[in-house]
Amino acid sequence: MTADLLENVPDVRASEEVIADGAVLLRGFAKTIEIELLEALRAILEQAPFRHMTTPGGHQMSVAMTNCGNFGWVTDRTGYRYDPCDPQSGKPWPPMPGSFRELARAAADRAGFGGFAPDACLLNCYQPGARMSLHQDRDENDFTAPIVSVSLGLPATFLFGGLKRSDKPRRFRLEHGDVIVWGGPARLVFHGVAPLAAGEHSLLGHQRINLTFRKAR
Ligand code: MD3
Ligand code: FE
C-alpha cells in the first residue's frame, strides 16, 4: 500500500551526490521553499540592490552583487573585505532572513557539517554573458566552516577545479533549486562559472541568482 502511494513521489534523498571529497551536491534541495526564498530576496533587494562592484585591478565585475547578514563581501579599488555596512547606503546590510539561514543550516547538516551558523550571505546576479573566473574563497576567517551555495533561475555551468589554479576544472550544470555544500578538503578549491547562456526561467526570467552562505568572522 505505502509503496503504491509513494510510487510517483520523488525521493529527495536520492539526489545527494558527492562530487569531491568534502563537496556534496543536493539537487533540487531548495525547490520546496522557492517562494519563501524569492519573497525574502525581494525585500533584501529593496534595501540593498544588486550592483556591479570594481576589482582592486579596476575592472567592473560582470556579475552584479549584494549581501545580507552581519557581514557582506565587497570589492573596490582598495581590495576585498567583509564589511558590516553596505558602502552604497552606509547602512548595515539587511538581516539574513530566517528561511535563508535555515536552508543553509539544513543543507550543511545533510552534508555532515552540523551546526553551520553563517554570518554572511553573498548574492550574485548573472545576466546572459556574465561569468566568474576561477578563484578561491579565502577572505573568511575560519576555513573549517563550509560554504553553502544555492542556485536559482537560469541554469549555469559551474567549474570545479583543484587546489592549484592550473588543475583542469570539471564542469557541472547547476539548475534552479540545486544546493552545494563545500567543506573540508573542498573548501579551498579553485572554482568559477562559465558565461551564462541566454534563456528564460519561469520564476526569475532572464537571470540566474546564486546565494552563498559563509562564516566570515
Ligand atoms: C567551492 N559563486 O560567490 S557558487 C562566489 O555560482 C562564487 O555564483 C559562484 O564562487 C556562483 O564566491 C559559485 C559555488 C561555490 C561557492 C563557494 C565555494 C563553490 C565553492 C567555495 C569553495 C569551494
Ligand atoms: Fe567563490
Side-chain angles (χ1 to χ4, degrees):
M1 181 57 165
T2 309
D4 282 341
L5 279 171
L6 296 177
E7 195 173 33
N8 297 312
V9 177
D11 181 355
V12 291
R13 292 166 306 177
S15 61
E16 194 177 302
E17 194 185 329
V18 176
I19 59 175
D21 197 7
V24 180
L25 169 53
L26 304 166
R27 291 221 184 260
F29 191 80
K31 264 218 179 110
T32 56
I33 61 155
E34 63 186 7
I35 301 301
E36 287 103 303
L37 294 180
L38 294 180
E39 279 177 12
L41 180 63
R42 189 181 299 279
I44 291 166
L45 297 179
E46 279 170 15
Q47 304 304 308
F50 283 121
R51 80 292 305 263
H52 293 274
M53 298 186 194
T54 303
T55 66
H59 298 284
Q60 207 177 57
M61 298 186 76
S62 61
V63 178
M65 297 176 165
T66 187
N67 294 274
C68 66
N70 291 150
F71 302 98
W73 186 87
V74 295
T75 175
D76 59 21
R77 288 306 300 244
T78 71
Y80 311 129
R81 66 181 182 279
Y82 279 96
D83 199 313
C85 291
D86 177 351
Q88 202 163 276
S89 67
K91 293 191 286 195
W93 295 104
M96 193 182 297
S99 56
F100 279 30
R101 187 185 305 282
E102 285 156 24
L103 173 66
R105 174 173 293 236
D109 264 345
R110 177 70 77 83
F113 298 94
F116 180 48
D119 56 11
C121 176
L122 171 64
L123 293 79
N124 296 322
C125 182
Y126 296 74
Q127 311 273 2
R131 60 190 286 269
M132 198 176 281
S133 55
L134 279 184
H135 67 278
Q136 292 171 300
D137 287 22
R138 47 186 316 154
D139 299 323
E140 301 74 28
N141 248 341
D142 175 9
F143 298 143
T144 67
I147 289 183
V148 173
S149 80
V150 179
S151 291
L152 299 170
L154 288 178
T157 300
F158 177 70
L159 309 170
F160 183 56
L163 291 174
K164 290 181 303 198
R165 187 182 293 276
S166 57
D167 291 336
K168 185 182 160 75
R170 295 152 67 200
R171 300 165 81 89
F172 291 90
R173 182 180 159 95
L174 293 183
E175 293 183 2
H176 177 77
D178 290 350
V179 176
I180 313 191
V181 181
W182 317 87
R187 176 62 182 77
L188 288 173
V189 299
F190 280 90
H191 58 278
V193 178
L196 192 78
E200 180 160 10
H201 183 269
S202 55
L203 287 174
L204 279 118
H206 303 269
Q207 62 190 333
R208 168 177 187 257
I209 293 179
N210 183 266
L211 318 176
T212 58
F213 295 91
R214 298 122 185 281
K215 180 108 182 62
R217 300 291 170 96

